[in-house]
Amino acid sequence: MNFSSKLLESAVAEFAKLPGVGQKTALRLVLHLLNQDKEEVAQFSSAISRLRNEIQFCGTCHNISDSATCEICSSPKRDHSIICVVEDTRDVMAIENTNQYNGVYHVLGGLISPMDGVGPSDLQVDTLVERLKEGGAKEIIFALSATMEGDTTIFYLHKRLKQFSINISTIARGIAFGGELEYVDEITLGRSIVTRVPYQHSLS
Amino acid sequence: MNFSSKLLESAVAEFAKLPGVGQKTALRLVLHLLNQDKEEVAQFSSAISRLRNEIQFCGTCHNISDSATCEICSSPKRDHSIICVVEDTRDVMAIENTNQYNGVYHVLGGLISPMDGVGPSDLQVDTLVERLKEGGAKEIIFALSATMEGDTTIFYLHKRLKQFSINISTIARGIAFGGELEYVDEITLGRSIVTRVPYQHSLS
């Protein structure tokens, strides 16, 4: 592209580094910001730099937090004997939105992926082991994506954690609520037949 | 959404104000920035605030510029007697990319749109009239979108500019190069038959 201004060009280049944002979208976003009030843009810019400079991670569960211990880990209302292991903060948000879980979390910060060069040492695995050594936990729930990376991570964590006498479970897999059988993929359907559960009236 | 951090929440809210960016996309972009180096994020943030605070508009054509007169308006190689009237800087970039135009520009900064409350006084119309009063211009080319707003703007500008003895033209409309007749919309096809041009071997 043929920019009439170096300032414009560098702002577009910065936006185009974001995932899923190309040159044309970046230009559209930048021209939108140019049409806003100076205060609005200053607020946008400072929200980003404050986020990166001031954000903290909870010392217990490693979730994004504004303080050294997050609200969930410091709440006396939560059941601290159940730890749900998730990939990142988005999963914590998704599970919190269901209102079905009252335990605490452990955020790994990623999944084991040899293809992307992510090993256990890049994740919050040792801190999870330390947390269990301290005692108090009765159950670990793996709530990881049903992908190869998720399965690899569960396999590895299970090996590391079986030394502790705690229950280890994974979230249930099967056909989604409201899903039509006809459109379910073969692997999910096959596994959901193999792992069928006794009929319970309240859950049907 | 249930954010674990106010800093995260405000950064997501700022991103979600951008056109075409919803809450989920905003969260994805913000988490991407959180994974970047502090310097990278500082650069992103400063590119935006510098853009808004330091950008200038060319005093002649009103295009975005780093100086009081843009490169095109100050170039002796350009033909200053032909002025191409466009909506915004994106159109200047698009026309420059064709390498087919050697005149100068006049950026209106929008199109007349009564529905959106945009009238001639919100656009660089008076400055265009002043520019023509100064003399030197031989031709005005309207390169505006083929929409109702574009046509309204051309109609209004033509009324204001016909007092000057200069040629007024619009860019050609018709079927696009490489376009298959079968898929061309009826209005374009109909108009392109009515406004047919003599066959010229070099342009066929």
Side-chain angles (χ1 to χ4, degrees), chain A residues 1-2 4-7 14 19 27 30-32 34 36 43-45 48 51-52 64 66 90 93, chain B residues 1-2 4-6 14 19 27 30-32 34 36 43-45 48 51-52 64 66 90 93:
Chain A
M1 280 201 267
N2 230 323
S4 60
S5 149
K6 291 265 170 253
L7 286 169
E14 289 296 331
L27 179 60
V30 167
L31 291 179
H32 171 84
L34 259 186
Q36 305 304 304
Q43 207 179 312
F44 181 86
S45 156
I48 292 160
L51 172 83
R52 186 64 189 83
I64 290 169
D66 286 339
R90 268 177 293 192
M93 285 164 67
Chain B
M1 282 201 267
N2 230 323
S4 61
S5 150
K6 291 265 170 252
E14 289 295 330
L27 180 60
V30 167
L31 292 179
H32 170 85
L34 259 186
Q36 304 304 305
Q43 207 179 312
F44 181 84
S45 156
I48 292 160
L51 171 82
R52 186 64 189 82
I64 291 170
D66 286 339
R90 270 176 290 192
M93 285 164 66

Side-chain angles (χ1 to χ4, degrees), chain B residues 22-199:
Chain B
Q23 284 261 21
K24 285 213 169 181
T25 308
L27 180 60
R28 195 159 56 91
L29 297 178
V30 167
L31 292 179
H32 170 85
L33 284 177
L34 259 186
N35 280 330
Q36 304 304 305
D37 289 339
K38 283 199 180 183
E39 296 83 58
E40 286 261 340
V41 177
Q43 207 179 312
F44 181 84
S45 156
S46 89
I48 292 160
S49 69
R50 281 193 58 200
L51 171 82
R52 186 64 189 82
N53 291 318
E54 295 174 26
I55 205 111
Q56 298 187 55
F57 292 88
C58 170
T60 310
C61 72
H62 304 281
N63 192 13
I64 291 170
S65 168
D66 286 339
S67 50
T69 304
C70 75
E71 278 179 36
I72 294 173
C73 286
S74 57
S75 164
K77 287 184 189 159
R78 312 284 302 212
D79 183 348
H80 292 259
S81 68
I82 307 178
I83 301 174
C84 180
V85 176
V86 294
E87 181 182 347
D88 64 20
T89 190
R90 270 176 290 192
D91 303 325
V92 174
M93 285 164 66
I95 295 171
E96 285 298 291
N97 279 337
T98 67
N99 287 320
Q100 296 287 320
Y101 180 66
N102 193 39
V104 293
Y105 295 92
H106 191 88
V107 178
L108 293 175
L111 295 175
I112 294 172
S113 171
M115 295 284 279
D116 300 322
V118 181
S121 59
D122 301 313
L123 309 175
Q124 298 292 346
V125 171
D126 291 339
T127 50
L128 176 61
V129 174
E130 287 303 315
R131 212 172 149 184
L132 294 178
K133 270 186 192 159
E134 284 169 16
K138 284 190 208 139
E139 185 176 356
I140 290 279
I141 304 171
F142 292 128
L144 303 179
S145 296
T147 58
M148 207 173 65
E149 287 80 16
D151 287 344
T152 308
T153 309
I154 291 178
F155 181 76
Y156 176 82
L157 287 176
H158 185 258
K159 242 174 43 182
R160 288 279 301 266
L161 302 183
K162 66 183 172 190
Q163 51 172 309
F164 304 104
S165 60
I166 45 176
N167 289 320
I168 298 180
S169 56
T170 67
I171 53 170
R173 293 179 184 178
I175 65 167
F177 282 84
E180 294 206 38
L181 220 61
E182 191 178 347
Y183 301 115
V184 175
D185 68 286
E186 290 161 20
I187 295 172
T188 304
L189 188 54
R191 292 291 302 165
S192 71
I193 291 174
V194 173
T195 61
R196 63 195 177 275
V197 292
Y199 177 72

Side-chain angles (χ1 to χ4, degrees), chain A residues 70-82 84 92 95-105, chain B residues 2:
Chain A
C70 75
E71 277 178 36
I72 293 173
C73 286
S74 57
S75 165
K77 287 184 187 158
R78 312 285 301 213
D79 183 348
H80 291 260
S81 68
I82 308 179
C84 180
V92 174
I95 295 172
E96 285 299 291
N97 279 337
T98 67
N99 287 320
Q100 296 286 320
Y101 180 66
N102 193 39
V104 293
Y105 294 92
Chain B
N2 230 323

Side-chain angles (χ1 to χ4, degrees), chain A residues 54-151:
Chain A
E54 296 175 25
I55 205 110
Q56 299 186 56
F57 292 90
C58 170
T60 309
C61 72
H62 305 281
N63 192 12
I64 290 169
S65 169
D66 286 339
S67 49
T69 304
C70 75
E71 277 178 36
I72 293 173
C73 286
S74 57
S75 165
K77 287 184 187 158
R78 312 285 301 213
D79 183 348
H80 291 260
S81 68
I82 308 179
I83 300 172
C84 180
V85 177
V86 294
E87 181 182 347
D88 64 20
T89 190
R90 268 177 293 192
D91 303 326
V92 174
M93 285 164 67
I95 295 172
E96 285 299 291
N97 279 337
T98 67
N99 287 320
Q100 296 286 320
Y101 180 66
N102 193 39
V104 293
Y105 294 92
H106 191 88
V107 178
L108 294 175
L111 295 174
I112 294 172
S113 172
M115 295 285 279
D116 300 322
V118 181
S121 59
D122 301 313
L123 308 176
Q124 298 292 346
V125 171
D126 291 339
T127 51
L128 177 61
V129 174
E130 288 302 316
R131 211 172 150 185
L132 294 177
K133 270 186 191 156
E134 284 170 15
K138 284 188 206 139
E139 185 176 356
I140 289 279
I141 304 170
F142 292 128
L144 302 179
S145 295
T147 58
M148 208 171 68
E149 288 79 17
D151 286 346

